[in-house]
């Protein structure tokens, strides 16, 4: 049975890289019908941040990374409860276990007590550096006679416990990086237990992975140099080591290690900014993995990822953290959710609706105009919820129509929506040249003729819908025997006073008949 774990230290906000580690460990377990554990590694009490464990549990829940064993909130609000047979899953509650295990190592001669003072260690390291040697413990206390150890303890001297790293080549096969080896001679004798009786990460991590029967350790590449120490510990205990998979570092765009200086690294920050959780997960899973050749899709649900994830497809090289890609995923998910919701709503509203799927999304045709406008209102209401609109006293109907006319834009980027619609409420000052278009061969004279014709046809129009506007204006084009753009460009510019805006049909529909005619007149007078 495959068993993976996510073993974070609650030392602050959850890093995006940690969420990726959790996600890969989760997906690998699910894909193989295995078990996924959450274990909290809080042995470094100095670095612990209050509330960090609770918030990381909440984040895992929020993203749907359910674990089979570990500390979690019970039904009674806010209380932590444990699930699983191998607990406790919070390391600070397991100190007795580590003490017992370090005794085994001492007995077997794979660990020793070290009484060196901080001053001595500092001096030793300074000398080593001065001699151009890598600083490492010189094993002064490694072979102290039993009687001397006892005398020091009796005299009240404090000590730490160090691992006696074997002087041999330590080899292992990493599932991502392939064969890896380290020379034991250049590995420092790792501290296993501190003077206060608390274990270090290395001891606690190995003991727990063994006792919790972890089969695959999936973690960030920054832990690779620790792995030979861990392999040596497994060997010293006489245990079988799990498989290791070290996943690539996350990089800034300039290929340096991902850091706060170049942008946010905390998952909470992206949640606060309003990114959709599915988009965040989708983005994160692709940082260092892809489904491989033959699969062009990029948008996947967590359930789908559980089916297709594999460690073989994880890359060795660092993965660039590119926020624009996250924005892209967010847009894809925004559209996906919007379309799913409105396919459903459309059929509820009108069982006779026809929904045609196109590249740009579903196209809805309702049995009557009333249903069409009701549907548009529903969509606009939804857009209002996600868009960024400041307090205002505008005509609500106009606001909703304005939102609907830029639906694609809002789904892509809901920030600054107002900037993209404010010309609907107040016609901006503009120069008459805006009504012309060199490439479409519209000069002022032509613009005037088009606007006058359009104005006349629109004035006669009784039902003001997107469809009727489209039909009427295309007829205007036909009668004038010109190209579409020769009427629609000056008309759009006259309606919005903007270089870029929604098209002529949408703009006229949004503004309504009276305001549209008024704006066309203003343009004609300018010429
Ligand atoms: N507690 C370590 C961390 O904070 C866990 C490393 C590991 O997975 O072994 O990342």
């Amino acid at each position: 049975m495959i068993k993976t774990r996510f073993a974070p230290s609650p030392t602050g906000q959850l890093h995006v890289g940690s969420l990726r580690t959790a996600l890969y460990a989760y997906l690998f377990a699910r894909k193989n019908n295995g078990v996924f554990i959450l274990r909290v590694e809080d042995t470094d009490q100095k670095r612990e941040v209050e509330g960090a464990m609770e918030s990381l549990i909440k984040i895992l829940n929020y993203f749907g990374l359910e674990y089979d064993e570990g500390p979690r909130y019970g039904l009674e609000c806010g209380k932590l409860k444990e699930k699983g047979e191998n607990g406790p899953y919070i390391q600070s509650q397991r100190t007795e276990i580590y003490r017992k295990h370090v005794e085994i190592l001492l007995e077997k001669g794979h660990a020793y007590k070290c009484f060196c003072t901080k001053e001595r260690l500092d001096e030793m390291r300074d000398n080593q550096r001065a001699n151009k040697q890598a600083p490492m413990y010189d094993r002064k206390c490694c072979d102290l006679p039993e009687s001397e150890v006892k005398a020091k303890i009796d005299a009240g001297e404090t000590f730490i416990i160090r691992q006696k790293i074997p002087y041999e080549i330590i080899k292992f096969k990493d599932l991502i990086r392939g064969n890896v080896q380290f020379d034991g001679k250049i590995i420092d004798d790792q501290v296993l237990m501190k003077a206060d009786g608390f274990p270090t990460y290395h001891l606690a991590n190995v003991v727990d992975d063994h006792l919790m029967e972890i089969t695959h350790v999936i973690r960030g590449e920054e832990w690779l140099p620790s792995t030979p120490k861990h392999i040596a510990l497994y060997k010293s205990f006489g245990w079988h080591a799990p498989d290791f998979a070290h996943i690539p570092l996350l990089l800034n765009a300039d290929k340096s290690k991902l850091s706060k200086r170049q942008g946010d690294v905390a998952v909470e920050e992206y949640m606060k900014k309003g990114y959709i959780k599915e988009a965040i997960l989708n983005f994160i899973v692709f940082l260092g993995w892809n489904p491989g050749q033959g699969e062009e899709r990029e948008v996947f649900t967590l359930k789908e990822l559980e089916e297709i994830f594999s460690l073989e497809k994880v890359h060795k090289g660092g993965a660039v953290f590119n926020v624009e890609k996250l924005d892209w995923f967010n847009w894809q998910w925004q559209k996906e959710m919007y379309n799913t919701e409105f396919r459903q709503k459309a059929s509820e509203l009108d069982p006779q609706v026809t929904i045609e799927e196109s590249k740009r999304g579903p196209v809805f045709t309702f049995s009557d105009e009333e249903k069409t406008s009701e549907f548009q209102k529903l969509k606009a209401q939804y857009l209002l919820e996600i868009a960024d609109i400041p307090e205002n006293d505008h005509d609500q109907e106009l606001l909703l129509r304005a939102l609907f006319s830029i639906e694609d834009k809002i789904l892509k980027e809901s920030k600054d929506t107002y900037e993209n619609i404010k010309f609907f409420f107040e016609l901006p000052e503009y120069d008459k040249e805006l009504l012309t278009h060199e490439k479409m061969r519209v000069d002022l004279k032509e613009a005037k003729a088009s606007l006058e014709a359009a104005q006349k046809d629109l004035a006669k129009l009784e039902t003001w819908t997107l469809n009727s506007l489209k039909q009427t204006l295309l007829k205007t084009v036909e009668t004038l025997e010109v190209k579409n753009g020769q009427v629609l460009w000056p008309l759009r510019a006259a309606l919005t006073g903007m270089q870029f805006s929604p098209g002529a049909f949408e703009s006229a529909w949004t503004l309504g008949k009276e305001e549209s005619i008024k704006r066309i007149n203003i343009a004609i007078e300018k010429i």
Side-chain angles (χ1 to χ4, degrees):
M1 157 86 78
I2 281 184
K3 219 168 172 187
T4 65
R5 56 25 171 214
F6 174 47
S9 300
T11 53
Q13 290 187 309
L14 190 68
H15 192 283
V16 283
S18 303
L19 182 60
R20 184 190 55 167
T21 305
L23 179 60
Y24 284 12
Y26 167 86
L27 291 175
F28 184 71
R30 290 291 167 263
K31 165 79 194 177
N32 294 291
N33 297 321
V35 168
F36 175 56
I37 295 189
L38 170 67
R39 181 176 72 232
V40 179
E41 301 208 325
D42 60 344
T43 54
D44 193 350
Q45 304 263 303
K46 273 191 277 154
R47 290 181 56 220
E48 204 179 326
V49 170
E50 224 195 292
M53 175 166 70
E54 288 73 9
S55 103
L56 99 86
I57 290 175
K58 281 192 188 137
I59 293 178
L60 292 182
N61 279 337
Y62 173 76
F63 283 101
L65 304 187
E66 276 252 3
Y67 40 88
D68 309 291
E69 297 179 25
R72 48 183 235 154
Y73 287 103
L75 288 177
E76 327 88 273
C77 297
K79 275 251 178 91
L80 273 178
K81 271 173 126 189
E82 299 231 306
K83 186 182 169 199
E85 305 286 308
N86 299 290
Y89 294 92
I90 300 177
Q91 286 188 330
S92 57
Q93 296 171 13
R94 299 172 62 83
T95 40
E96 261 324 300
I97 300 177
Y98 309 128
R99 275 184 209 134
K100 270 209 307 245
H101 281 87
V102 90
E103 281 306 323
I104 300 174
L105 293 176
L106 285 169
E107 252 164 55
K108 289 183 159 189
H110 295 303
Y112 59 92
K113 294 184 174 120
C114 172
F115 296 88
C116 292
T117 60
K118 183 175 177 303
E119 290 70 30
R120 174 175 187 269
L121 293 174
D122 286 345
E123 199 188 315
M124 173 197 79
R125 290 191 192 112
D126 287 345
N127 286 337
Q128 288 168 333
R129 277 194 208 99
N131 292 328
K132 302 234 166 357
Q133 291 166 337
M136 63 192 280
Y137 184 58
D138 59 6
R139 292 202 162 169
K140 177 167 184 282
C141 296
C142 184
D143 294 311
L144 290 182
E146 205 44 48
S147 55
E148 201 174 320
V149 170
K150 191 171 176 300
K152 280 178 183 287
I153 294 174
D154 289 346
E157 278 189 45
T158 57
F159 62 87
I160 57 173
I161 297 174
R162 287 186 187 271
Q163 178 182 8
K164 189 174 175 188
I165 301 277
Y167 283 173
E168 62 188 30
I169 301 293
I170 303 171
K171 290 185 189 162
F172 61 95
K173 187 165 184 225
D174 187 271
L175 294 179
I176 293 163
R177 320 200 64 80
N179 290 325
V180 185
Q181 63 175 54
F182 288 85
D183 185 352
K185 280 202 199 94
I186 54 169
I187 300 176
D188 204 2
D189 275 358
Q190 183 62 53
V191 178
L192 296 176
M193 191 156 273
K194 292 170 279 184
D196 61 5
F198 265 89
T200 58
Y201 153 72
H202 305 277
L203 175 69
N205 187 272
V206 165
V207 168
D208 287 351
D209 279 345
H210 173 73
L211 295 180
M212 295 178 184
E213 298 167 345
I214 299 302
T215 59
H216 291 76
V217 169
I218 299 173
R219 61 185 172 199
E221 193 186 311
E222 64 274 24
W223 298 103
L224 191 64
S226 299
T227 308
K229 302 173 188 175
H230 299 180
I231 300 267
L233 280 175
Y234 283 105
K235 203 167 158 199
S236 304
F237 281 117
W239 296 337
H240 177 73
D243 283 338
F244 292 92
H246 288 90
I247 61 184
L249 289 179
L250 293 186
L251 308 175
N252 293 307
D254 65 4
K255 303 280 162 82
S256 57
K257 193 172 164 200
L258 187 67
S259 71
K260 251 192 213 157
R261 249 172 300 130
Q262 298 197 27
D264 289 320
V265 292
V267 177
E268 281 100 321
E269 293 303 322
Y270 292 95
M271 290 161 62
K272 258 194 243 151
K273 283 186 188 158
Y275 284 101
I276 302 170
K277 66 179 170 199
E278 285 83 355
I280 299 180
L281 278 187
N282 213 153
F283 166 66
I284 282 192
V285 81
F286 273 91
L287 294 171
W289 170 89
N290 66 53
Q293 275 172 355
E295 178 55 273
E296 275 169 25
R297 258 175 75 194
E298 288 188 90
V299 177
F300 294 99
T301 63
L302 184 61
K303 277 268 152 297
E304 288 168 333
L305 291 170
E306 289 172 20
E307 298 289 315
I308 59 172
F309 183 79
S310 77
L311 283 176
E312 288 94 70
K313 299 267 162 53
V314 175
H315 320 152
K316 280 198 195 95
V320 174
F321 187 89
N322 174 354
V323 180
E324 277 135 46
K325 189 75 198 196
L326 172 59
D327 288 335
W328 184 84
F329 274 116
N330 205 57
W331 177 36
Q332 301 309 309
W333 272 101
Q334 196 77 262
K335 277 202 291 200
E336 180 79 25
M337 288 160 73
Y338 185 71
N339 290 335
T340 308
E341 169 134 356
F342 284 100
R343 271 188 210 104
Q344 168 83 20
K345 281 216 163 89
S347 332
E348 280 166 15
L349 191 69
D350 179 4
Q352 273 139 43
V353 69
T354 57
I355 307 176
E356 216 178 293
E357 296 298 335
S358 84
K359 257 205 166 147
R360 296 190 55 214
V363 180
F364 303 91
T365 313
F366 291 90
S367 54
D368 61 49
E369 284 298 344
E370 209 178 295
K371 295 248 164 61
T372 311
S373 73
E374 209 173 313
F375 186 63
Q376 283 161 348
K377 245 190 222 159
L378 284 178
K379 278 188 154 187
Q381 214 84 42
Y382 180 103
L383 296 168
L384 184 63
E385 265 168 46
I386 60 169
D388 178 18
I389 305 279
E391 267 306 308
N392 64 79
D393 53 8
H394 296 310
D395 171 356
Q396 282 302 296
E397 296 271 316
L398 174 60
L399 177 63
L400 292 184
R401 284 199 304 274
L403 291 176
F404 180 70
S405 74
I406 57 160
E407 66 174 334
D408 275 348
K409 249 208 178 90
I410 302 178
L411 294 176
K412 188 165 184 178
E413 167 73 294
S414 53
K415 258 191 289 155
D416 302 328
T417 304
Y418 192 66
E419 282 304 307
N420 295 315
I421 54 169
K422 67 177 187 201
F423 52 84
F424 283 126
F425 306 105
E426 194 178 340
L427 180 67
E429 285 293 328
Y430 67 91
D431 194 272
K432 63 181 174 200
E433 295 307 320
L434 186 72
L435 303 164
T436 66
H437 199 294
E438 219 185 284
K439 266 207 201 126
M440 287 188 211
R441 284 194 267 121
V442 188
D443 59 15
L444 280 174
K445 203 170 125 234
E446 243 148 2
K448 191 166 183 191
S450 294
L451 288 171
E452 282 171 348
Q455 195 240 44
K456 225 168 85 207
D457 291 342
L458 291 178
K460 283 187 281 186
L461 188 63
E462 272 166 25
T463 43
W464 200 261
T465 64
L466 270 175
N467 267 340
S468 66
L469 281 163
K470 196 169 172 185
Q471 278 167 16
T472 308
L473 291 168
L474 291 180
K475 216 167 258 156
T476 315
V477 169
E478 219 181 284
T479 322
L480 291 180
E481 293 184 355
V482 292
K483 293 222 165 83
N484 286 1
Q486 287 171 301
V487 169
L488 300 182
W489 175 272
L491 179 61
R492 190 203 57 75
L495 291 169
T496 63
M498 301 288 289
Q499 181 79 23
F500 303 106
S501 72
F505 310 135
E506 287 88 350
S507 297
W509 174 76
T510 305
L511 289 166
K513 185 168 176 177
E514 197 184 326
E515 181 68 16
S516 299
I517 304 272
K518 196 170 122 197
R519 290 188 179 196
I520 299 171
N521 277 334
I522 293 175
I524 295 173
E525 269 160 35
K526 264 186 200 275
I527 302 176

